[in-house]
Amino acid sequence: MEQILLKHTHTGQCLSFDEYRSVGGFDALATALREMTPVEVQQQVIDSGLRGRGGAGFPTGKKWSFVPRDLPGPRYLICNSDEMEPGTYKDRVLLERNPHILVEGMALACYALGVHHAFIFVRHGYEQAAINLRAAIAAAHRSGFLGDNILGSDFSLELDVHQSAGRYICGEETALINALEGKRANPRVKPPFPAIKGLWEQPTVVNNVETLANIPAIITGGPLWWKGTAATPEAAGTKLFCVSGHVANTECFELPLGITLGEIIDGPCGGMRPGSSFKACIPGGASTPYMTGAHRDVPMDFDPVAKAGSRLGTGGIIVFDHTTCMVAATLNLTRFYVRESCGWCTPCREGLPFVAHTLERIETGRGTDRDIEILREHVKMLNYAFCALAPGAMGPVEGLLRLFGDELEAHVSGKKCPFGK
Ligand SMILES: Cc1cc2nc3c(=O)[nH]c(=O)nc-3n(C[C@H](O)[C@H](O)[C@H](O)COP(=O)(O)O)c2cc1C
């Protein structure tokens, strides 16, 4: 299996700048500056079929093409490294092991987009990642890969690291932009989308760490080779799957996009822990609906997972075994979103606590059939929230209703959790 992002990082130590250079690091940037126009770099990204790794899977080259090239004033690129979604730790692993690949990927993206000042928005608490990034930026500067007239070209670029004050909503791209501007991190109305009016009202692209880290390999290996590292012809590239829960090995694995759920669990995860059997998982961070044993053959790629009723999301897989009470698990996840609602819109601020109270009632044996109906209504109603936080929060609730209706029924009829917890 081809590795792109975690290649050369198996010691677990952070790769030094010299080590990165010795395995071809920054060759893609040098080639692009010497031989390619910005439009050609963007075209390679379009041809690769790269889809954003931050959760929504939006095609990266297409997103870049929305940025107007003829407007006066600066344009910006922001790397989203907020990563507060429960179950997701892939960006941290990458930044702790190879921050240089992100610096090079951002330099290539900035060249393609005509950006001369870019930002990396790092999650509160990711101290080592921020230290590594600052050191990587300094080393790239010293070697002429950042700063004025990079490698003698007329392309200049500065990168800055910004550490978040620490709220989940800061990962939503427009709230992130507000936070970077020093404002309260509420989401903004869209449209206008950031590509037209973003940071300081200027065209801005927001991309995830993993998305940007793939750009050097697309330029070096070519879009067709890069696309072909996936497991199916429909998928493109590899994916970082970070696994937690009741499997034998909980790690961040780089695997071909489109590998099936069963292959991930039985392969790199080493199966379930002794005495455990697979009951369900969250496939892509806590805001994605559950998948069950019936979904073992589903290719872990954006469209097949959506067809199976869930979302690939971030690739943060949380595995639950046969002892898990899915009502309690869902309540636990919902409590996170209640705490992290930014309070900007009523459906999210008032709706999520109401959903949590309803789940609490059911979980503690005080629920009724009407409470199940209330959950069903709220899955629909919270779609009308201002941003995607509340609809995402309802992902596990929707999955609970659709896949574990029998467990909910047992709670309201038996007045007691069948798992005795
Ligand atoms: C509540 C919320 C939190 C988010 N958190 C993150 C995050 O931590 N990292 C991330 O890359 N995207 C996050 N996103 C998605 C971003 O808004 C945005 O779509 C993404 O950074 C785009 O990058 P991509 O196109 O490379 O996937 C979040 C979205 C929402 C609604």
Side-chain angles (χ1 to χ4, degrees), residues 50-60 63-64 78-85 88 90-91 121 123 167-176 190 205-212 287 302 313-314 337 340 387-390 392:
L50 171 63
R51 294 177 68 168
R53 304 309 201 220
F58 195 82
T60 306
K63 183 188 273 190
W64 292 7
I78 304 173
C79 171
N80 190 344
S81 178
D82 194 52
E83 197 165 71
M84 272 191 69
E85 178 90 348
T88 307
K90 67 189 179 70
D91 296 341
F121 190 93
R123 178 188 161 157
R167 299 301 300 193
Y168 174 64
I169 192 62
C170 292
E172 195 282 333
E173 57 184 7
T174 59
L176 184 159
K190 290 193 265 190
V205 166
V206 181
N207 273 138
N208 174 255
V209 174
E210 186 186 350
T211 310
L212 291 164
S287 61
F302 297 98
T314 60
Y337 292 108
E340 291 299 330
C387 83
L389 190 152

Short mmCIF file of all heavy atoms in Angstrom, two decimals, residues 50-60 63-64 78-85 88 90-91 121 123 167-176 190 205-212 287 302 313-314 337 340 387-390 392, ligand 1:
data_model
loop_
_atom_site.label_atom_id
_atom_site.label_comp_id
_atom_site.label_asym_id
_atom_site.label_seq_id
_atom_site.Cartn_x
_atom_site.Cartn_y
_atom_site.Cartn_z
N LEU A 50 -8.66 15.41 -5.94
CA LEU A 50 -8.55 15.58 -4.48
C LEU A 50 -9.80 16.23 -3.92
O LEU A 50 -10.25 17.27 -4.41
CB LEU A 50 -7.32 16.46 -4.18
CG LEU A 50 -7.14 16.93 -2.73
CD1 LEU A 50 -6.92 15.77 -1.76
CD2 LEU A 50 -5.95 17.92 -2.63
N ARG A 51 -10.37 15.61 -2.88
CA ARG A 51 -11.53 16.17 -2.18
C ARG A 51 -11.10 16.53 -0.76
O ARG A 51 -10.33 15.81 -0.14
CB ARG A 51 -12.69 15.17 -2.17
CG ARG A 51 -13.22 14.92 -3.57
CD ARG A 51 -14.33 13.89 -3.60
NE ARG A 51 -15.54 14.36 -2.94
CZ ARG A 51 -16.73 13.74 -3.03
NH1 ARG A 51 -16.83 12.64 -3.75
NH2 ARG A 51 -17.79 14.20 -2.40
N GLY A 52 -11.60 17.66 -0.27
CA GLY A 52 -11.18 18.20 1.02
C GLY A 52 -11.29 17.17 2.13
O GLY A 52 -12.28 16.44 2.23
N ARG A 53 -10.26 17.11 2.98
CA ARG A 53 -10.21 16.13 4.06
C ARG A 53 -10.71 16.69 5.40
O ARG A 53 -10.56 16.06 6.43
CB ARG A 53 -8.77 15.62 4.24
CG ARG A 53 -8.10 15.01 2.99
CD ARG A 53 -8.91 13.96 2.30
NE ARG A 53 -8.10 13.06 1.46
CZ ARG A 53 -8.46 12.61 0.28
NH1 ARG A 53 -9.59 12.99 -0.26
NH2 ARG A 53 -7.70 11.77 -0.39
N GLY A 54 -11.30 17.92 5.36
CA GLY A 54 -11.75 18.55 6.61
C GLY A 54 -13.12 18.07 7.06
O GLY A 54 -13.56 18.39 8.16
N GLY A 55 -13.84 17.33 6.21
CA GLY A 55 -15.13 16.79 6.64
C GLY A 55 -16.15 16.74 5.53
O GLY A 55 -16.88 15.77 5.39
N ALA A 56 -16.21 17.79 4.70
CA ALA A 56 -17.30 17.85 3.72
C ALA A 56 -16.92 17.20 2.39
O ALA A 56 -17.80 16.91 1.57
CB ALA A 56 -17.73 19.29 3.50
N GLY A 57 -15.63 17.02 2.13
CA GLY A 57 -15.21 16.36 0.89
C GLY A 57 -15.42 17.20 -0.36
O GLY A 57 -15.59 16.66 -1.45
N PHE A 58 -15.38 18.53 -0.20
CA PHE A 58 -15.57 19.39 -1.38
C PHE A 58 -14.32 19.33 -2.27
O PHE A 58 -13.20 19.37 -1.75
CB PHE A 58 -15.83 20.84 -0.93
CG PHE A 58 -16.38 21.69 -2.03
CD1 PHE A 58 -17.73 21.68 -2.32
CD2 PHE A 58 -15.53 22.47 -2.81
CE1 PHE A 58 -18.24 22.44 -3.37
CE2 PHE A 58 -16.03 23.23 -3.86
CZ PHE A 58 -17.39 23.22 -4.14
N PRO A 59 -14.50 19.22 -3.61
CA PRO A 59 -13.32 19.13 -4.49
C PRO A 59 -12.41 20.35 -4.34
O PRO A 59 -12.85 21.49 -4.52
CB PRO A 59 -13.93 19.05 -5.89
CG PRO A 59 -15.32 18.54 -5.68
CD PRO A 59 -15.76 19.08 -4.35
N THR A 60 -11.14 20.10 -4.04
CA THR A 60 -10.21 21.18 -3.69
C THR A 60 -9.94 22.11 -4.87
O THR A 60 -9.99 23.34 -4.73
CB THR A 60 -8.90 20.57 -3.17
OG1 THR A 60 -9.24 19.67 -2.11
CG2 THR A 60 -7.94 21.62 -2.66
N LYS A 63 -12.81 24.38 -5.46
CA LYS A 63 -12.87 25.46 -4.46
C LYS A 63 -11.88 26.56 -4.83
O LYS A 63 -12.21 27.74 -4.79
CB LYS A 63 -12.55 24.90 -3.06
CG LYS A 63 -12.67 25.94 -1.96
CD LYS A 63 -12.18 25.43 -0.63
CE LYS A 63 -13.24 24.71 0.15
NZ LYS A 63 -12.83 24.42 1.53
N TRP A 64 -10.68 26.18 -5.22
CA TRP A 64 -9.67 27.19 -5.60
C TRP A 64 -10.13 28.01 -6.80
O TRP A 64 -9.81 29.18 -6.90
CB TRP A 64 -8.35 26.51 -5.95
CG TRP A 64 -7.65 25.85 -4.79
CD1 TRP A 64 -8.12 25.69 -3.52
CD2 TRP A 64 -6.34 25.25 -4.81
NE1 TRP A 64 -7.20 25.02 -2.75
CE2 TRP A 64 -6.10 24.74 -3.53
CE3 TRP A 64 -5.38 25.07 -5.79
CZ2 TRP A 64 -4.92 24.08 -3.18
CZ3 TRP A 64 -4.20 24.43 -5.46
CH2 TRP A 64 -3.97 23.94 -4.18
N ILE A 78 -5.94 29.93 4.41
CA ILE A 78 -5.91 29.55 5.83
C ILE A 78 -5.92 28.03 5.90
O ILE A 78 -6.78 27.37 5.30
CB ILE A 78 -7.12 30.10 6.61
CG1 ILE A 78 -7.20 31.63 6.48
CG2 ILE A 78 -7.02 29.71 8.09
CD1 ILE A 78 -8.46 32.22 7.08
N CYS A 79 -4.97 27.48 6.64
CA CYS A 79 -4.98 26.05 6.89
C CYS A 79 -5.75 25.80 8.18
O CYS A 79 -5.39 26.33 9.24
CB CYS A 79 -3.55 25.53 7.00
SG CYS A 79 -3.53 23.83 7.57
N ASN A 80 -6.79 24.99 8.07
CA ASN A 80 -7.64 24.70 9.23
C ASN A 80 -7.08 23.50 9.99
O ASN A 80 -7.17 22.36 9.54
CB ASN A 80 -9.06 24.41 8.73
CG ASN A 80 -10.07 24.34 9.85
OD1 ASN A 80 -9.70 24.21 11.01
ND2 ASN A 80 -11.35 24.41 9.50
N SER A 81 -6.47 23.79 11.13
CA SER A 81 -5.93 22.73 11.98
C SER A 81 -6.59 22.81 13.35
O SER A 81 -5.95 22.61 14.37
CB SER A 81 -4.42 22.91 12.07
OG SER A 81 -3.86 21.96 12.91
N ASP A 82 -7.89 23.14 13.33
CA ASP A 82 -8.59 23.31 14.62
C ASP A 82 -8.88 21.96 15.27
O ASP A 82 -8.78 21.82 16.49
CB ASP A 82 -9.88 24.11 14.41
CG ASP A 82 -10.41 24.58 15.73
OD1 ASP A 82 -9.64 25.20 16.47
OD2 ASP A 82 -11.58 24.31 16.04
N GLU A 83 -9.27 21.00 14.45
CA GLU A 83 -9.43 19.59 14.86
C GLU A 83 -9.94 19.35 16.29
O GLU A 83 -9.25 18.75 17.12
CB GLU A 83 -8.10 18.84 14.66
CG GLU A 83 -8.29 17.34 14.67
CD GLU A 83 -7.10 16.56 14.13
OE1 GLU A 83 -6.07 16.50 14.78
OE2 GLU A 83 -7.24 15.97 13.04
N MET A 84 -11.17 19.81 16.53
CA MET A 84 -11.76 19.53 17.86
C MET A 84 -12.87 18.48 17.80
O MET A 84 -13.52 18.21 18.82
CB MET A 84 -12.30 20.82 18.48
CG MET A 84 -11.25 21.56 19.27
SD MET A 84 -11.94 22.89 20.25
CE MET A 84 -12.88 22.01 21.51
N GLU A 85 -13.10 17.92 16.61
CA GLU A 85 -14.16 16.91 16.48
C GLU A 85 -13.78 15.66 17.28
O GLU A 85 -12.72 15.06 17.01
CB GLU A 85 -14.27 16.57 14.98
CG GLU A 85 -15.28 15.51 14.64
CD GLU A 85 -16.66 16.08 14.36
OE1 GLU A 85 -16.91 17.26 14.64
OE2 GLU A 85 -17.49 15.31 13.87
N THR A 88 -11.22 12.55 16.29
CA THR A 88 -10.35 12.95 15.18
C THR A 88 -9.02 13.46 15.71
O THR A 88 -9.00 14.40 16.50
CB THR A 88 -11.05 14.04 14.34
OG1 THR A 88 -12.34 13.58 13.97
CG2 THR A 88 -10.25 14.38 13.11
N LYS A 90 -6.04 13.03 13.34
CA LYS A 90 -5.14 12.79 12.20
C LYS A 90 -4.21 13.99 11.94
O LYS A 90 -3.04 13.81 11.64
CB LYS A 90 -5.95 12.47 10.95
CG LYS A 90 -6.76 13.66 10.46
CD LYS A 90 -7.74 13.33 9.37
CE LYS A 90 -8.54 14.54 8.93
NZ LYS A 90 -7.83 15.57 8.21
N ASP A 91 -4.76 15.22 12.04
CA ASP A 91 -3.94 16.40 11.74
C ASP A 91 -2.82 16.54 12.78
O ASP A 91 -1.71 16.94 12.45
CB ASP A 91 -4.80 17.66 11.69
CG ASP A 91 -5.83 17.62 10.57
OD1 ASP A 91 -5.65 16.81 9.63
OD2 ASP A 91 -6.82 18.37 10.63
N PHE A 121 -4.21 27.86 11.41
CA PHE A 121 -5.03 28.03 12.62
C PHE A 121 -4.98 26.72 13.40
O PHE A 121 -5.58 25.72 13.01
CB PHE A 121 -6.46 28.37 12.20
CG PHE A 121 -7.35 28.81 13.33
CD1 PHE A 121 -7.50 30.15 13.64
CD2 PHE A 121 -8.06 27.87 14.08
CE1 PHE A 121 -8.33 30.57 14.67
CE2 PHE A 121 -8.89 28.27 15.11
CZ PHE A 121 -9.03 29.61 15.41
N ARG A 123 -5.31 24.19 16.69
CA ARG A 123 -6.16 23.94 17.86
C ARG A 123 -5.45 24.30 19.17
O ARG A 123 -4.26 24.01 19.34
CB ARG A 123 -6.54 22.44 17.88
CG ARG A 123 -7.37 22.08 19.08
CD ARG A 123 -7.58 20.59 19.19
NE ARG A 123 -7.98 20.30 20.54
CZ ARG A 123 -8.64 19.23 20.94
NH1 ARG A 123 -8.97 18.32 20.06
NH2 ARG A 123 -8.96 19.05 22.19
N ARG A 167 -12.34 26.69 20.95
CA ARG A 167 -13.75 26.31 20.86
C ARG A 167 -13.94 25.50 19.58
O ARG A 167 -13.36 25.82 18.54
CB ARG A 167 -14.68 27.54 20.79
CG ARG A 167 -14.62 28.46 21.97
CD ARG A 167 -14.96 27.82 23.27
NE ARG A 167 -16.31 27.25 23.30
CZ ARG A 167 -16.92 26.84 24.41
NH1 ARG A 167 -16.29 26.92 25.56
NH2 ARG A 167 -18.13 26.35 24.36
N TYR A 168 -14.84 24.52 19.65
CA TYR A 168 -15.12 23.67 18.48
C TYR A 168 -15.61 24.50 17.29
O TYR A 168 -15.24 24.23 16.14
CB TYR A 168 -16.15 22.62 18.89
CG TYR A 168 -16.66 21.75 17.78
CD1 TYR A 168 -15.81 20.89 17.10
CD2 TYR A 168 -18.01 21.78 17.40
CE1 TYR A 168 -16.28 20.08 16.07
CE2 TYR A 168 -18.49 20.97 16.39
CZ TYR A 168 -17.62 20.14 15.72
OH TYR A 168 -18.08 19.34 14.71
N ILE A 169 -16.39 25.54 17.57
CA ILE A 169 -16.96 26.33 16.47
C ILE A 169 -15.86 27.02 15.65
O ILE A 169 -16.07 27.36 14.48
CB ILE A 169 -18.00 27.36 17.00
CG1 ILE A 169 -18.82 27.98 15.86
CG2 ILE A 169 -17.34 28.46 17.81
CD1 ILE A 169 -19.65 27.02 15.07
N CYS A 170 -14.69 27.22 16.25
CA CYS A 170 -13.59 27.87 15.52
C CYS A 170 -13.16 27.05 14.31
O CYS A 170 -12.46 27.57 13.43
CB CYS A 170 -12.38 28.10 16.42
SG CYS A 170 -12.68 29.32 17.69
N GLY A 171 -13.54 25.77 14.22
CA GLY A 171 -13.20 24.97 13.05
C GLY A 171 -14.11 25.27 11.87
O GLY A 171 -13.75 24.99 10.72
N GLU A 172 -15.30 25.83 12.13
CA GLU A 172 -16.20 26.21 11.02
C GLU A 172 -15.53 27.39 10.32
O GLU A 172 -15.13 28.36 10.96
CB GLU A 172 -17.57 26.58 11.59
CG GLU A 172 -18.68 26.63 10.56
CD GLU A 172 -18.69 27.90 9.72
OE1 GLU A 172 -18.21 28.95 10.19
OE2 GLU A 172 -19.17 27.85 8.58
N GLU A 173 -15.41 27.32 8.99
CA GLU A 173 -14.49 28.22 8.30
C GLU A 173 -14.77 29.70 8.51
O GLU A 173 -13.83 30.50 8.62
CB GLU A 173 -14.41 27.88 6.81
CG GLU A 173 -15.73 27.92 6.09
CD GLU A 173 -15.62 27.49 4.64
OE1 GLU A 173 -14.56 27.02 4.21
OE2 GLU A 173 -16.64 27.62 3.91
N THR A 174 -16.05 30.10 8.58
CA THR A 174 -16.31 31.54 8.73
C THR A 174 -16.13 31.99 10.18
O THR A 174 -15.70 33.12 10.43
CB THR A 174 -17.71 31.93 8.21
OG1 THR A 174 -18.69 31.19 8.95
CG2 THR A 174 -17.86 31.62 6.73
N ALA A 175 -16.43 31.11 11.13
CA ALA A 175 -16.15 31.42 12.55
C ALA A 175 -14.64 31.52 12.75
O ALA A 175 -14.15 32.38 13.50
CB ALA A 175 -16.75 30.34 13.45
N LEU A 176 -13.92 30.64 12.06
CA LEU A 176 -12.45 30.66 12.13
C LEU A 176 -11.92 32.01 11.64
O LEU A 176 -11.02 32.61 12.24
CB LEU A 176 -11.91 29.51 11.27
CG LEU A 176 -10.40 29.23 11.25
CD1 LEU A 176 -10.15 27.81 10.80
CD2 LEU A 176 -9.65 30.17 10.36
N LYS A 190 -23.52 32.86 4.78
CA LYS A 190 -22.96 32.47 3.47
C LYS A 190 -24.13 32.38 2.50
O LYS A 190 -25.11 31.69 2.84
CB LYS A 190 -22.26 31.11 3.57
CG LYS A 190 -20.98 31.14 4.37
CD LYS A 190 -20.16 29.88 4.16
CE LYS A 190 -20.43 28.85 5.24
NZ LYS A 190 -19.51 27.71 5.23
N VAL A 205 -9.19 31.17 0.83
CA VAL A 205 -9.45 29.73 0.76
C VAL A 205 -9.14 29.14 2.13
O VAL A 205 -8.10 29.44 2.72
CB VAL A 205 -8.59 29.06 -0.32
CG1 VAL A 205 -8.60 27.54 -0.16
CG2 VAL A 205 -9.08 29.44 -1.71
N VAL A 206 -10.05 28.32 2.65
CA VAL A 206 -9.80 27.58 3.88
C VAL A 206 -9.70 26.11 3.52
O VAL A 206 -10.62 25.55 2.92
CB VAL A 206 -10.92 27.80 4.93
CG1 VAL A 206 -10.60 27.03 6.21
CG2 VAL A 206 -11.12 29.28 5.22
N ASN A 207 -8.58 25.50 3.83
CA ASN A 207 -8.39 24.06 3.57
C ASN A 207 -7.84 23.37 4.81
O ASN A 207 -7.10 23.95 5.60
CB ASN A 207 -7.39 23.83 2.42
CG ASN A 207 -8.02 23.83 1.05
OD1 ASN A 207 -7.48 24.39 0.10
ND2 ASN A 207 -9.16 23.19 0.89
N ASN A 208 -8.17 22.11 4.91
CA ASN A 208 -7.72 21.27 6.01
C ASN A 208 -6.23 20.91 5.85
O ASN A 208 -5.69 20.91 4.74
CB ASN A 208 -8.58 20.00 6.02
CG ASN A 208 -8.13 18.99 7.02
OD1 ASN A 208 -7.52 17.97 6.68
ND2 ASN A 208 -8.38 19.27 8.28
N VAL A 209 -5.58 20.56 6.96
CA VAL A 209 -4.16 20.17 6.98
C VAL A 209 -3.90 19.03 5.99
O VAL A 209 -3.00 19.09 5.15
CB VAL A 209 -3.76 19.68 8.39
CG1 VAL A 209 -2.34 19.12 8.41
CG2 VAL A 209 -3.92 20.77 9.42
N GLU A 210 -4.71 17.95 6.11
CA GLU A 210 -4.48 16.75 5.28
C GLU A 210 -4.67 17.08 3.80
O GLU A 210 -3.93 16.56 2.95
CB GLU A 210 -5.42 15.64 5.73
CG GLU A 210 -5.16 14.31 5.04
CD GLU A 210 -6.20 13.25 5.40
OE1 GLU A 210 -7.03 13.46 6.31
OE2 GLU A 210 -6.19 12.20 4.73
N THR A 211 -5.63 17.92 3.49
CA THR A 211 -5.87 18.32 2.10
C THR A 211 -4.59 18.95 1.53
O THR A 211 -4.09 18.54 0.48
CB THR A 211 -7.01 19.37 2.03
OG1 THR A 211 -8.12 18.91 2.77
CG2 THR A 211 -7.40 19.67 0.60
N LEU A 212 -4.08 19.95 2.25
CA LEU A 212 -2.92 20.71 1.74
C LEU A 212 -1.66 19.85 1.71
O LEU A 212 -0.82 20.01 0.82
CB LEU A 212 -2.72 21.96 2.61
CG LEU A 212 -3.83 23.01 2.44
CD1 LEU A 212 -3.79 24.02 3.58
CD2 LEU A 212 -3.71 23.71 1.10
N SER A 287 -19.70 13.76 14.48
CA SER A 287 -20.92 14.31 13.87
C SER A 287 -21.43 13.46 12.71
O SER A 287 -22.24 13.93 11.92
CB SER A 287 -20.66 15.74 13.39
OG SER A 287 -19.64 15.75 12.41
N PHE A 302 -16.12 9.06 0.08
CA PHE A 302 -17.20 10.02 0.36
C PHE A 302 -18.57 9.53 -0.11
O PHE A 302 -19.52 9.49 0.68
CB PHE A 302 -16.87 11.37 -0.28
CG PHE A 302 -15.62 11.99 0.30
CD1 PHE A 302 -14.40 11.87 -0.34
CD2 PHE A 302 -15.67 12.67 1.51
CE1 PHE A 302 -13.25 12.42 0.20
CE2 PHE A 302 -14.52 13.23 2.07
CZ PHE A 302 -13.31 13.11 1.41
N GLY A 313 -16.73 12.12 6.56
CA GLY A 313 -16.30 13.16 7.50
C GLY A 313 -14.79 13.28 7.53
O GLY A 313 -14.13 13.38 6.50
N THR A 314 -14.24 13.21 8.74
CA THR A 314 -12.80 13.39 8.92
C THR A 314 -12.03 12.08 8.83
O THR A 314 -10.80 12.09 8.85
CB THR A 314 -12.52 13.97 10.32
OG1 THR A 314 -13.04 13.03 11.28
CG2 THR A 314 -13.19 15.32 10.51
N TYR A 337 -21.66 18.51 22.06
CA TYR A 337 -22.16 19.57 21.16
C TYR A 337 -22.95 20.63 21.93
O TYR A 337 -22.94 21.80 21.56
CB TYR A 337 -22.99 18.96 20.03
CG TYR A 337 -22.11 18.15 19.09
CD1 TYR A 337 -22.16 16.77 19.06
CD2 TYR A 337 -21.18 18.79 18.28
CE1 TYR A 337 -21.33 16.04 18.23
CE2 TYR A 337 -20.34 18.08 17.45
CZ TYR A 337 -20.41 16.69 17.43
OH TYR A 337 -19.58 15.98 16.61
N GLU A 340 -20.43 22.91 23.24
CA GLU A 340 -19.67 23.65 22.23
C GLU A 340 -20.53 24.52 21.32
O GLU A 340 -19.98 25.23 20.48
CB GLU A 340 -18.84 22.67 21.38
CG GLU A 340 -17.70 22.03 22.14
CD GLU A 340 -16.67 23.03 22.66
OE1 GLU A 340 -16.48 24.09 22.04
OE2 GLU A 340 -16.09 22.76 23.72
N CYS A 387 -25.54 27.24 11.14
CA CYS A 387 -24.38 26.61 10.50
C CYS A 387 -24.50 25.09 10.62
O CYS A 387 -25.51 24.57 11.07
CB CYS A 387 -23.06 27.13 11.10
SG CYS A 387 -22.55 26.30 12.62
N ALA A 388 -23.45 24.39 10.25
CA ALA A 388 -23.54 22.92 10.20
C ALA A 388 -23.29 22.25 11.55
O ALA A 388 -23.33 21.02 11.64
CB ALA A 388 -22.55 22.39 9.17
N LEU A 389 -23.05 23.05 12.63
CA LEU A 389 -22.76 22.40 13.92
C LEU A 389 -23.96 21.56 14.40
O LEU A 389 -23.81 20.37 14.71
CB LEU A 389 -22.38 23.45 14.99
CG LEU A 389 -21.83 22.90 16.30
CD1 LEU A 389 -20.89 23.89 16.98
CD2 LEU A 389 -22.87 22.45 17.30
N ALA A 390 -25.15 22.19 14.45
CA ALA A 390 -26.31 21.46 14.99
C ALA A 390 -26.73 20.28 14.10
O ALA A 390 -26.97 19.18 14.61
CB ALA A 390 -27.46 22.41 15.26
N GLY A 392 -24.84 18.53 12.29
CA GLY A 392 -23.80 17.52 12.54
C GLY A 392 -24.03 16.84 13.87
O GLY A 392 -23.94 15.61 13.99
C1 LIG B 1 -18.72 23.11 13.61
C2 LIG B 1 -17.70 22.83 12.55
C3 LIG B 1 -16.40 22.50 12.89
C4 LIG B 1 -15.44 22.25 11.92
N1 LIG B 1 -14.18 21.91 12.30
C5 LIG B 1 -13.23 21.71 11.35
C6 LIG B 1 -11.89 21.41 11.72
O1 LIG B 1 -11.54 21.32 12.90
N2 LIG B 1 -10.98 21.21 10.72
C7 LIG B 1 -11.33 21.31 9.38
O2 LIG B 1 -10.49 21.17 8.50
N3 LIG B 1 -12.60 21.58 9.03
C8 LIG B 1 -13.54 21.80 9.96
N4 LIG B 1 -14.81 22.13 9.58
C9 LIG B 1 -15.09 22.27 8.13
C10 LIG B 1 -14.63 23.68 7.67
O3 LIG B 1 -15.71 24.58 7.82
C11 LIG B 1 -14.20 23.67 6.21
O4 LIG B 1 -15.22 23.12 5.43
C12 LIG B 1 -12.91 22.91 5.97
O5 LIG B 1 -11.85 23.41 6.74
C13 LIG B 1 -12.54 22.99 4.49
O6 LIG B 1 -11.36 22.27 4.24
P1 LIG B 1 -11.27 21.17 3.08
O7 LIG B 1 -12.01 21.73 1.88
O8 LIG B 1 -9.82 21.02 2.85
O9 LIG B 1 -11.94 19.96 3.62
C14 LIG B 1 -15.80 22.34 10.56
C15 LIG B 1 -17.12 22.65 10.19
C16 LIG B 1 -18.07 22.87 11.18
C17 LIG B 1 -19.46 23.20 10.77
#
